[in-house]
Amino acid sequence: MSKTAILEFEGKRYEFPVIEGTEKELAIDIKTLRGTTGMITIDPGYKNTGSCESAITFLDGEKGILRYRGYSIEDLAKDADFLEVAYLLIFGELPSKEELTKFHNDIKHESHVDEEMKKILDGFPKSAHPMGVLSSLTSALVAFNPSSVDVSSEEAMYNSIVRILAKFPVLVAWTMRKKKGLPLDYGDDSLGYVENIHKMMFKRPNKEYTKDKIVIDALDKLLILHADHEQNCSTSTVRIVGSSHAGLFVSLSAGVSALWGPLHGGANQAVLEMLEAIDADGGDTKKYMAKAKDKNDPFRLMGFGHRVYKNFDPRAKIIKKSADEVLGRLGIDDPILDIAKGLEKEALEDKYFVDRKLYPNVDFYSGIIYRALGIPTDMFTVMFALGRLPGWIAQWREMRLKGEPIGRPRQVYIGENLRKFKPVNKR
Ligand code: ACO
């Protein structure tokens, strides 16, 4: 039997259907609310608002569950590679061997970026934050690939998708190489997708590139763990920009900007800077715990807390284990890892954090691995963007295929009522 919710207001009774998801989540469908009652809902930060029905990612923040298209993040991180996860997220099913080969070949076919793009990159100072550079370059790509905006058919959509999956890693690599003063190279189509990304980022001009399996596997896993996370800030941004039919590349560019903020993807950089500051300050974790709890101090324990997870972020568990493994296998003894573990232990036993259900999130340990892999701190959020790329694409494609209406929230106006205008000489 279909479920309904009743709203009573000023003696009138309104009925709204209740939608049930495949994991038994319930939502009141208020599509007719304004038409029938004249009212809207208000929900700053959208804490209780579902913007869409989606078949891509399921997460249960209370139980610490994360699944892409029904597959658990633990299984995918253990056994899949990033390109198959990208295919799974975007198209809904794991690819057969042939499908994966075709997908990879189509991407390789698009793996060049117009040389003129280098002039745009050249215009940025070396001190520019890589996220700003990446967002600008992603947007600029449209000028060199104007047909990418036209996505009226599935085929056109597919072409735009493989193009960006091919070119975005080049932009990521160029952004980092420019900062390091290294020549802007292209990749090598004979390599795997992630291996090629690694080569593009790290190949020295006068040295043969050698594959390091530990490094590639760690990178692959990190990218998988970041690949999608349903309707978070940057993904919602991608969907809302795309809902105006603005095209995939600019929607993604907006997603990169949204991810940049320290309350979202920028937290991985903030975590490492925080851990370094604690280390430089003598490693006194208790002092920083006290600061985080002091309501008069704006300091927050970066990498702790999450809008949705009120339990362990399952990605944080996997990354913590991976940080131990990677550092061990690379023979790195990093005091920052010990500080992170110390902070985690104290926070998990602290009433303030326990009461507020604040657990380590995906960003708490990821920076430690990135650092071990030789990735500069201000590139961490760029690595997150690289991982999130398939998720953003999948969400954008789902939104376009469903023909969702343009995203346009309403507001409750609380400003001045009509006032009489006075010319400037009479004010
Ligand atoms: N350190 C100290 N206190 C915290 C922290 C923290 N990291 N996070 C939340 N709190 C406290 C708040 O002060 C608030 O306390 P109060 O109830 O006494 O006022 C309570 O916990 C609830 O916090 P909100 O900010 O209301 O929670 P919200 O869901 O809006 O924010 C967020 C979630 C932004 C992630 C927050 O926990 C935070 O700022 N964390 C640090 C930044 C971070 O790690 N961001 C990465 C998130 S994961 C991602 O985007 C990939």
Side-chain angles (χ1 to χ4, degrees), residues 38 150 318 385 391:
D150 173 24
I318 300 171

Side-chain angles (χ1 to χ4, degrees), residues 6 43 102 211 242 254 286 325 337 372 421:
I6 309 289
D43 186 19
K102 178 181 181 315
K211 177 181 168 173
K286 295 216 165 38
E325 280 167 15
L337 182 61
F421 175 79

Side-chain angles (χ1 to χ4, degrees), residues 130-188:
M131 284 299 273
V133 177
L134 182 64
S135 172
S136 308
L137 293 181
T138 308
S139 191
L141 266 185
V142 178
F144 299 93
N145 302 271
S147 64
S148 66
V149 179
D150 173 24
V151 287
S152 41
S153 68
E154 276 228 48
E155 191 194 346
M157 219 180 253
Y158 180 83
N159 292 337
S160 283
I161 290 170
V162 291
R163 266 189 198 164
I164 198 68
L165 283 168
K167 298 179 201 304
F168 195 81
V170 180
L171 303 184
V172 165
W174 283 3
T175 302
M176 190 180 97
R177 293 182 77 88
K178 165 165 175 146
K179 272 194 95 79
K180 288 190 157 182
L182 291 167
L184 306 183
D185 284 354
Y186 284 100
D188 177 346

Side-chain angles (χ1 to χ4, degrees), residues 89-334:
L89 283 167
I90 298 168
F91 303 111
E93 294 296 339
L94 284 167
S96 65
K97 221 171 167 202
E98 294 71 36
E99 284 166 335
L100 190 60
T101 304
K102 178 181 181 315
F103 187 47
H104 196 188
N105 285 341
D106 292 343
I107 292 171
K108 287 180 199 167
H109 187 67
E110 292 290 346
S111 62
H112 55 280
V113 169
D114 197 298
E115 282 288 303
E116 297 279 312
M117 286 282 291
K118 290 184 178 170
K119 292 188 189 153
I120 301 177
L121 180 62
D122 207 33
F124 285 96
K126 261 191 180 171
S127 59
H129 194 285
M131 284 299 273
V133 177
L134 182 64
S135 172
S136 308
L137 293 181
T138 308
S139 191
L141 266 185
V142 178
F144 299 93
N145 302 271
S147 64
S148 66
V149 179
D150 173 24
V151 287
S152 41
S153 68
E154 276 228 48
E155 191 194 346
M157 219 180 253
Y158 180 83
N159 292 337
S160 283
I161 290 170
V162 291
R163 266 189 198 164
I164 198 68
L165 283 168
K167 298 179 201 304
F168 195 81
V170 180
L171 303 184
V172 165
W174 283 3
T175 302
M176 190 180 97
R177 293 182 77 88
K178 165 165 175 146
K179 272 194 95 79
K180 288 190 157 182
L182 291 167
L184 306 183
D185 284 354
Y186 284 100
D188 177 346
D189 280 353
S190 68
L191 302 178
Y193 187 71
V194 173
E195 193 182 349
N196 189 33
I197 292 173
H198 186 256
K199 178 180 175 185
M200 284 195 283
M201 290 177 75
F202 289 101
K203 162 97 176 61
R204 312 292 301 188
N206 38 6
K207 219 172 158 192
E208 193 70 16
Y209 171 78
T210 45
K211 177 181 168 173
D212 183 335
K213 194 171 175 325
I214 299 173
V215 169
I216 305 299
D217 287 351
L219 199 52
D220 206 293
K221 192 177 283 195
L222 279 170
L223 295 174
I224 291 173
L225 292 174
H226 286 90
D228 195 47
H229 212 233
E230 54 117 303
Q231 309 311 317
N232 54 79
C233 177
S234 56
T235 302
S236 299
T237 302
V238 170
R239 283 184 87 125
I240 207 159
V241 174
S243 77
S244 76
H245 293 195
L248 176 60
F249 297 180
V250 282
S251 305
L252 295 170
S253 156
V256 173
S257 298
L259 189 71
W260 190 357
L263 297 190
H264 190 16
N268 54 16
Q269 175 175 344
V271 170
L272 206 92
E273 285 165 354
M274 175 188 79
L275 296 173
E276 281 172 344
I278 298 175
D279 188 33
D281 196 18
D284 184 358
T285 48
K286 295 216 165 38
K287 175 174 162 191
Y288 286 84
M289 285 289 290
K291 271 165 78 63
K293 294 187 282 180
D294 180 356
K295 290 290 165 201
N296 298 316
D297 189 327
F299 176 78
R300 278 191 167 195
L301 201 57
M302 298 313 289
F304 260 78
H306 196 276
R307 170 58 62 78
V308 183
Y309 291 119
K310 302 302 169 194
N311 197 327
F312 247 97
D313 181 337
R315 302 166 299 173
K317 274 191 198 167
I318 300 171
I319 291 187
K320 182 182 175 182
K321 197 162 159 263
S322 183
D324 268 332
E325 280 167 15
V326 173
L327 267 64
R329 281 155 70 188
L330 294 176
I332 298 172
D333 184 15
D334 192 340

Side-chain angles (χ1 to χ4, degrees), residues 411-422:
Q411 62 165 18
V412 175
Y413 175 68
I414 55 162
E416 298 285 347
N417 294 115
L418 182 63
R419 300 198 268 180
K420 188 120 183 81
F421 175 79
K422 278 189 202 151

